[in-house]
């Protein structure tokens, strides 16, 4: 069975409150009772001691007990609700306070005590008890004092009221704490569950296919705020991916359609006898087929690249020299088009990497720059070491990349409309492969660009 977060939190808070009230009242009740009992026993002991002292004083004055004025003992016995009897050595009763008043009072006392005081164990509450004490004068035993009492005589009505008030206040504070706890638990659990419910609603809308919704929650709980941000980030990423997926399908269709249409119309013309099949025409067929093959090869390579961890064949490479060599190999191409290709290369920079992959990385970037240059264009390649990083930049003065396309150029088959219009023959996966190679070396690649001004690609390898 699933319970809602709000119910769960409220129940947990209430249980915690009830538990702590029960525990506190039990502990305080127990300790107070214990102390109270000790206090009452001491009180009773001192009552008995006082009675003994009075009797001994009276006895000592007359040296016997027969003609003594026993009013004082009688008053004391009645006041303290004690039964007092004095016997001589022959066990003959010399004085007895009589116990009628004890019986009368006892009934009331028992009622007042109620069940609450039953835990005063060891005090014989409600039962009649007698204690015997020697009557000694000048250290000589002359008789026995018997002091009797009902257990209730321990308790004055004040003490009973005290204990009952204590228990009532525990009960009252329990009720107040419970009401407060209930209110607080509702406020806290609402504060937590409401934004979570909102986020869940947003996630459900996304699940239904609407990736434009965003979760807006008003919360000061850090984790919930983070959850909301993550959901929004997820929606944004999914939205982008969805857009890229759609674009990619139409891009691939476009890439395939162009050569296929050319081939189809040409062959139709042959069949209809409109066109003579000349070697030049077969040559253009071959080029189209070549383009298709390249596209399929690229697709296969990309699939391989994504499936497996790249196997790098690493060795120590002098990348200053390596970069010079690659740039030199591009120079004839550039010169032919009247382009400029410059280099600013820090000498003797060496690092450990896969030489072939490094070559492909630079080649891809230089081919792109060449492809997207404008008339009298210029490309500059720089290499330097900076804070334990090797930084390579390829800076061109080409057509640039529109701002809206810049975040996606490393995605598979993504091509800016500018490059599409230029009909360069690219297929939009060169940069995807380049990025995969750079990252396999633990490096990073980024692009900055301004439309119609040029583009800079920066690669950063850890040295
Ligand atoms: P392509 O085969 O189309 O060149 P890439 O993956 O190499 O594919 O590049 C993706 C897209 O990035 C290109 O289609 C182009 O729009 C843009 N691009 C890459 N390099 C440059 C550059 N140097 N100048 C302008 N645009 C570039």
């Amino acid at each position: 069975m699933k319970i809602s977060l709000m119910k769960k939190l409220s129940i947990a808070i209430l249980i915690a409150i009830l538990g702590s009230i029960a525990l506190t009242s039990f502990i305080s009740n127990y300790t107070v009772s214990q102390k109270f009992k000790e206090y009452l026993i001491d009180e009773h002991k001192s009552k008995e001691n006082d009675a003994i002292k009075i009797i001994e004083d009276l006895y000592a004055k007359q040296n016997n007990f027969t003609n003594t004025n026993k009013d004082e003992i009688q008053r004391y016995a009645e006041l303290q609700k004690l039964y007092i009897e004095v016997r001589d050595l022959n066990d003959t009763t010399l004085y007895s306070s009589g116990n009628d008043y004890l019986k009368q009072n006892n009934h009331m006392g028992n009622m007042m005590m109620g069940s609450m005081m039953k835990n005063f164990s060891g005090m014989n509450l409600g039962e009649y008890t007698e204690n015997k004490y020697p009557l000694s004068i000048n250290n000589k035993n002359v008789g026995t004092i018997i002091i009797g009492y009902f257990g209730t005589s321990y308790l004055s009505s004040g003490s009973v009221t005290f204990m009952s008030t204590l228990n009532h206040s525990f009960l009252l504070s329990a009720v107040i704490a419970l009401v407060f706890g209930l209110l607080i638990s509702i406020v806290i659990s609402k504060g937590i569950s409401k934004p979570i419910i909102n986020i869940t609603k947003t996630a459900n809308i996304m699940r239904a296919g609407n990736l434009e919704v965003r979760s807006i929650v008003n919360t000061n709980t850090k984790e919930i705020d983070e959850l909301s941000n993550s959901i929004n980030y997820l929606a944004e990423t999914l939205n982008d991916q969805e857009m890229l997926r759609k674009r990619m399908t139409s891009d691939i269709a476009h890439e395939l359609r162009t050569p296929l249409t050319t081939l189809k119309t040409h062959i139709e013309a042959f069949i209809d006898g409109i066109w003579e099949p000349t070697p030049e025409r077969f040559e253009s067929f071959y080029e189209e087929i070549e383009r298709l093959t390249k596209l399929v090869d690229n697709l296969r390579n990309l699939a391989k690249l994504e499936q497996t961890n790249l196997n790098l064949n690493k060795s120590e490479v002098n990348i200053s020299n390596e970069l010079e060599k690659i740039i030199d190999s591009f120079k004839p191409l550039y010169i032919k088009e009247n382009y400029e290709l410059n280099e600013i290369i820090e000498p003797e920079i060496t690092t450990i990497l896969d030489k072939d992959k490094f070559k492909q990385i630079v080649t891809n970037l230089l081919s792109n720059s060449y492809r997207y240059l404008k008339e009298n264009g210029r490309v500059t390649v720089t290499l330097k070491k900076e804070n334990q990083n090797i930084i390579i930049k390829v800076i061109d003065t080409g057509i640039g990349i529109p701002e809206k396309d810049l975040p996606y150029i490393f995605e598979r088959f993504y091509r800016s409309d500018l490059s599409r219009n230029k009909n360069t023959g690219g297929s939009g996966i060169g940069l995807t492969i380049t990025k995969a190679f750079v990252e396999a070396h633990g490096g990073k690649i980024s692009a900055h660009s301004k439309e119609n001004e040029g583009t800079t690609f920066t690669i950063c390898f850890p040295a």
Side-chain angles (χ1 to χ4, degrees):
M1 194 184 66
K2 304 267 186 246
I3 310 174
S4 75
L5 184 65
M6 183 159 154
K7 249 192 211 156
K8 219 172 182 177
L9 278 172
S10 309
I11 293 172
I13 294 174
L14 283 184
I15 289 177
I17 290 175
L18 279 178
S20 39
I21 291 172
L23 200 70
T24 337
S25 27
F26 174 76
I27 293 173
S28 0
N29 208 319
Y30 179 77
T31 19
V32 171
S33 304
Q34 219 44 30
K35 283 281 158 212
F36 202 56
K37 185 175 134 191
E38 282 168 21
Y39 162 76
L40 291 175
I41 290 173
D42 284 352
E43 275 270 296
H44 184 76
K45 276 268 161 298
S46 79
K47 266 192 221 173
E48 284 188 341
N49 289 342
D50 285 350
I52 293 167
K53 191 152 182 333
I54 293 170
I55 294 164
E56 281 177 351
D57 283 353
L58 284 176
Y59 193 97
K61 267 187 210 157
Q62 310 268 327
N63 228 359
N64 76 46
F65 215 68
T66 23
N67 303 321
T68 313
N69 178 2
K70 294 156 194 134
D71 283 356
E72 201 181 338
I73 312 176
Q74 189 65 26
R75 245 181 287 121
Y76 189 79
E78 283 177 24
L79 187 71
Q80 302 294 357
K81 297 184 187 69
L82 297 174
Y83 167 70
I84 299 176
E85 190 184 329
V86 183
R87 291 182 189 170
D88 65 10
L89 288 175
N90 301 325
D91 236 11
T92 316
T93 302
L94 303 177
Y95 162 77
S96 161
S97 65
N99 59 5
D100 287 353
Y101 58 91
L102 271 185
K103 283 171 192 155
Q104 281 162 22
N105 282 315
N106 182 45
H107 181 60
M108 261 291 287
N110 266 346
M111 276 195 2
M112 280 174 78
M113 275 194 314
S115 56
M116 170 192 96
M117 300 305 282
K118 280 199 180 114
N119 59 348
F120 274 34
S121 56
M123 280 180 63
N124 304 326
L125 289 186
E127 280 169 33
Y128 180 74
T129 315
E130 270 187 5
N131 290 330
K132 285 186 179 172
Y133 302 96
L135 171 62
S136 41
I137 305 293
N138 297 332
N139 288 332
K140 217 178 114 206
N141 197 5
V142 294
T144 313
I145 302 170
I146 296 165
I147 300 178
Y149 61 96
F150 273 104
T152 43
S153 63
Y154 273 169
L155 303 168
S156 64
S157 64
S159 340
V160 176
T161 319
F162 169 72
M163 285 310 285
S164 127
T165 316
L166 189 72
N167 277 355
H168 275 128
S169 40
F170 276 134
L171 209 69
L172 187 69
S173 32
V175 172
I176 294 174
L178 212 65
V179 173
F180 264 111
L182 204 68
L183 288 179
I184 289 171
S185 71
I186 288 173
V187 172
I188 291 183
S189 46
K190 257 209 167 134
I192 292 177
S193 65
K194 214 172 140 195
I196 291 185
I197 291 171
N198 275 347
I199 295 172
T200 314
K201 268 189 200 153
T202 314
N204 283 338
I205 297 174
M206 286 176 194
R207 200 171 66 175
N210 179 354
L211 294 173
E212 300 292 333
V213 286
R214 293 292 175 267
S215 135
I216 302 164
V217 290
N218 187 6
T219 177
N220 51 11
T221 313
K222 204 173 133 210
E223 287 81 358
I224 295 179
D225 196 47
E226 277 171 12
L227 179 67
S228 169
N229 290 341
S230 302
I231 282 278
N232 286 344
Y233 180 75
L234 195 70
E236 231 150 76
T237 320
L238 282 175
N239 211 7
D240 279 359
Q241 289 298 323
E242 183 68 7
M243 184 273 285
L244 286 172
R245 192 179 60 82
K246 284 183 187 153
R247 204 179 150 129
M248 185 176 121
T249 320
S250 77
D251 284 357
I252 296 183
H254 179 85
E255 295 295 329
L256 291 173
R257 206 183 52 220
T258 318
L260 285 176
T261 317
T262 318
L263 286 174
K264 196 179 154 206
T265 45
H266 286 192
I267 291 175
E268 271 169 4
F270 287 160
I271 295 170
D272 294 345
I274 305 169
W275 254 21
E276 281 289 306
T278 60
E280 293 83 52
R281 284 174 184 154
F282 276 117
E283 183 76 24
S284 102
F285 273 25
Y286 185 80
E287 270 171 26
E288 293 303 333
I289 291 171
E290 184 80 300
R291 211 168 127 184
L292 277 174
T293 317
K294 211 170 119 194
L295 181 72
V296 174
D297 278 350
N298 277 340
L299 273 171
R300 211 191 48 204
N301 287 342
L302 199 63
K304 256 199 231 156
L305 205 80
E306 282 170 348
Q307 267 167 18
T308 51
N309 283 337
L310 272 181
N311 267 338
L312 295 180
N313 188 9
K314 285 186 177 178
S315 60
E316 177 144 20
V317 179
N318 182 329
I319 53 173
S320 305
N321 289 349
E322 207 53 43
L323 201 57
E324 298 261 18
K325 270 196 246 165
I326 305 168
I327 293 169
D328 280 348
S329 72
F330 267 90
K331 281 208 166 131
L333 199 65
Y334 275 69
I335 290 167
K336 215 169 105 191
E337 295 289 333
N338 223 2
Y339 292 155
E340 228 181 276
L341 179 56
N342 303 321
E343 71 229 45
I344 306 169
I345 290 177
E346 224 174 81
E348 296 308 318
I349 296 183
T350 55
T351 188
I352 294 172
L353 42 74
D354 183 322
K355 201 162 133 185
D356 289 341
K357 303 256 167 7
F358 176 73
K359 205 168 156 184
Q360 199 172 339
I361 292 168
V362 181
T363 306
N364 281 356
L365 292 184
L366 283 177
S367 317
N368 274 353
S369 292
Y370 169 79
R371 218 181 264 164
Y372 302 114
L373 271 182
K374 291 189 295 193
E375 231 170 87
N376 298 323
R378 187 178 63 243
V379 176
T380 312
V381 182
T382 66
L383 167 70
K384 63 178 171 185
K385 205 167 174 181
E386 210 177 74
N387 306 329
Q388 293 303 306
N389 286 318
I390 294 167
I391 314 236
I392 301 170
K393 282 184 199 267
V394 178
I395 308 155
D396 69 43
T397 57
I399 59 172
I401 303 167
E403 211 179 313
K404 71 169 181 46
D405 295 314
L406 202 56
Y408 307 114
I409 52 163
F410 295 101
E411 299 287 339
R412 280 163 286 168
F413 299 103
Y414 196 97
R415 299 178 67 197
S416 76
D417 293 334
L418 283 184
S419 65
R420 210 177 282 285
N421 297 341
K422 212 174 180 247
N423 226 343
T424 54
S427 58
I429 58 172
L431 284 182
T432 314
I433 293 172
T434 309
K435 188 173 182 230
F437 283 175
V438 172
E439 286 177 355
H441 283 92
K444 281 200 179 92
I445 180 164
S446 59
H448 293 274
S449 186
K450 198 144 191 216
E451 208 175 323
N452 281 322
E453 282 187 18
T455 309
T456 301
F457 280 94
T458 308
I459 297 175
C460 174
F461 285 121

